[in-house]
Structures are given as C-alpha cells and as structure tokens.
Amino acid sequence: HVQLVESGGGLVQPGGSLRLSCAASGTIYNVVRMGWYRQAPGKERELVARTSRSSGELNYADSVKGRFTVSSDNAKNTVDLQMNSLIPEDTAVYYCYGLIIDRNNLGHAVYWGQGTQVTVSS
C-alpha cells in the first residue's frame, strides 16, 4: 500500500515562517501529483498548493500566492510547503495529498497524510 507521512507544523507568530514536508512511500508505481490542502475549524478542506509531475505546473490558492512556495523532489517522492509571512487566517490542519498509481493494481488513487496543525498567533 501507499502512505504519506508529514512533518513540520506548529505554533508561529504572525509574520513568521514554517516549512512542512511530506514523503510518500510504499508500493508506488508513479506519482502524478502531490500537494497540500488545509482545513480550518468550521470550514471545508481547501487546496493550498500542488505540483504536477508531468508538466511541472504549480498551482496556488489565491490566498497564499506570493507567500507560500510548494516544491517537490521527484526522486524521493516528497513535497514541501514553505510558508512565509504567515497570518492568523492560515491557522488550520494541513494535509499532504498525492494522486498516485499503486504498482499492485496500476490504479490512480488519492492518498492523504495524517494532517499537521499550523497555528498562527501572537
């Protein structure tokens, strides 16, 4: 099977920075896309940023453009999210996700990390 493991997150003051990392492992045949979603209390989960392995395209939510940077290492099947100029509205649980082909069945499926809390507060 495939699993995603996240690291990073925590408490930071407004204007500060954090870096999240995520590594995919297991029975991976190919990674199509990796990225990050977040979910704040009482809100729906929303896309933050994602990368497309085939095209190299990067996509960001309007609310994080210019502040967050997503990057991936295709050889290691990892994706990072560098978050700068954090504001309280960025407070949420951040989830790594991957659209991955499992070599056991060659089927596309979306896999999720366990989530990591990011809190921006003074």
Side-chain angles (χ1 to χ4, degrees):
H1 68 288
V2 175
Q3 63 178 3
L4 274 62
V5 178
E6 303 157 354
S7 60
L11 174 64
V12 64
Q13 292 186 343
S17 298
L18 281 175
R19 188 176 185 88
L20 306 181
S21 296
C22 174
S25 63
T27 55
I28 297 172
Y29 177 76
N30 190 34
V31 174
V32 178
R33 192 178 298 141
M34 291 188 76
W36 296 88
Y37 276 71
R38 68 185 181 186
Q39 187 167 20
K43 295 187 177 181
E44 294 187 353
R45 192 173 295 190
E46 63 174 357
L47 176 67
V48 176
R50 67 181 182 186
T51 72
S52 174
R53 177 166 289 189
S54 60
S55 67
E57 182 178 3
L58 306 178
N59 299 110
Y60 295 92
D62 288 342
S63 60
V64 306
K65 285 181 180 177
R67 300 187 299 119
F68 290 11
T69 302
V70 65
S71 59
S72 63
D73 185 326
N74 293 341
K76 297 180 179 179
N77 291 327
T78 60
V79 63
D80 292 348
L81 185 67
Q82 177 66 41
M83 304 183 292
N84 299 328
S85 302
L86 284 160
I87 59 178
E89 289 75 17
D90 295 318
T91 296
V93 178
Y94 284 69
Y95 296 92
C96 172
Y97 92 101
L99 178 59
I100 295 171
I101 302 173
D102 188 326
R103 67 170 181 256
N104 285 333
N105 55 34
L106 298 184
H108 291 74
V110 174
Y111 297 88
W112 296 93
Q114 76 278 11
T116 185
Q117 177 70 46
V118 171
T119 302
V120 184
S121 175
S122 56

